[in-house]
Amino acid sequence: GAVVSQHPSRVICKSGTSVKIECRSLDFQATTMFWYRQFPKQSLMLMATSNEGSKATYEQGVEKDKFLINHASLTLSTLTVTSAHPEDSSFYICSARVDGMSNQPQHFGDGTRLSIL
Amino acid sequence: AQRVTQPEKLLSVFKGAPVELKCNYSYSGSPELFWYVQYSRQRLQLLLRHISRESIKGFTADLNKGETSFHLKKPFAQEEDSAMYYCAPSRSNDYKLSFGAGTTVTVRA
């Protein structure tokens, strides 16, 4: 149980394109999901917390207009990288917590490798 | 400021030898501590957490609040333990995880 699906796994696109990444909790509901970014050979950096039915909360230094987050249902959060540029190329990972149960760990997706040409 | 330190970037041990991955944290309040593992070509997954006080795949981790450490140990490493390991404290009020830099463990035959 507690599977998180992330799609697509890989995106290659031209500079200026907007890219949407989906994060789905397949067998559980998740009011809260998280988006991370990982640079090569570095650790995961939390970008934002996605909250179902309300605005996402962004970590310091993360541009909310650049990285749009929508959490419209209890099983889906989307991250849109708007007008992507080469410096946005990175590995993006989402995670989700199981609703209704305290002390639950985060369950992670497989990640999306974004390459902007 | 919240900080997680994993001092060893790379750790290489022989099969059957003990392995210890260090983790020190600087966190306000009483964080919950996790170890996550990422095997080659797989997603990040939970290995263990301090509140469970259990051994997973032979690994244990003891929370030492005095030293603010949560070191991960296994007495006899196996080749399948080769992976990237992350120490990650979490605040109990918002469940946000802060990841350490990670330690790559290689277990050699």
Side-chain angles (χ1 to χ4, degrees), chain A:
Chain A
V3 177
V4 174
S5 173
Q6 198 171 331
H7 179 80
S9 57
R10 177 107 198 217
V11 180
I12 302 173
C13 56
K14 293 181 180 179
S15 185
T17 308
S18 290
V19 179
K20 181 187 281 189
I21 303 169
E22 291 187 348
C23 180
R24 292 182 186 273
S25 56
L26 295 188
D27 49 2
F28 65 98
Q29 292 184 335
T31 303
T32 305
M33 294 185 177
F34 301 89
W35 287 97
Y36 296 86
R37 184 173 181 175
Q38 186 176 32
F39 290 102
K41 300 190 178 184
Q42 293 189 30
S43 188
L44 284 78
M45 182 194 76
L46 179 65
M47 298 174 65
T49 304
S50 175
N51 305 296
E52 188 270 334
S54 64
K55 290 183 180 180
T57 52
Y58 290 81
E59 296 301 300
Q60 193 171 12
V62 178
E63 297 178 60
K64 59 183 179 183
D65 294 331
K66 176 72 169 176
F67 299 100
L68 298 178
I69 291 172
N70 185 278
H71 195 148
S73 79
L74 288 172
T75 59
L76 174 65
S77 174
T78 60
L79 169 69
T80 301
V81 184
T82 60
S83 186
H85 291 285
E87 58 267 26
D88 299 322
S89 298
S90 192
F91 194 55
Y92 294 87
I93 306 170
C94 73
S95 71
R97 288 187 69 253
V98 178
D99 274 356
M101 301 172 72
S102 62
N103 296 323
Q104 282 296 300
Q106 292 181 26
H107 301 279
F108 286 82
D110 277 329
T112 297
R113 188 160 302 283
L114 176 62
S115 300
I116 308 298
L117 305 177

Side-chain angles (χ1 to χ4, degrees), chain B residues 9-82:
Chain B
K9 202 161 188 175
L10 300 169
L11 208 53
S12 181
V13 299
F14 284 106
K15 178 182 173 181
V19 62
E20 181 179 26
L21 290 73
K22 291 187 169 52
C23 172
N24 287 89
Y25 63 94
S26 174
Y27 241 72
S28 57
S30 297
E32 185 171 356
L33 277 298
F34 298 87
W35 274 99
Y36 279 85
V37 60
Q38 189 167 29
Y39 300 102
S40 179
R41 301 181 189 279
Q42 294 187 29
R43 68 183 64 194
L44 201 61
Q45 57 185 282
L46 177 68
L47 180 61
L48 52 77
R49 54 200 298 192
H50 87 270
I51 63 169
S52 298
R53 293 177 174 268
E54 57 189 348
S55 173
I56 305 291
K57 299 184 180 182
F59 284 96
T60 57
D62 291 321
L63 178 62
N64 186 321
K65 291 185 178 180
E67 295 180 359
T68 59
S69 67
F70 189 54
H71 303 327
L72 183 68
K73 303 175 186 178
K74 183 168 182 175
F76 308 104
Q78 302 300 312
E79 289 180 76
E80 55 266 28
D81 296 327
S82 296

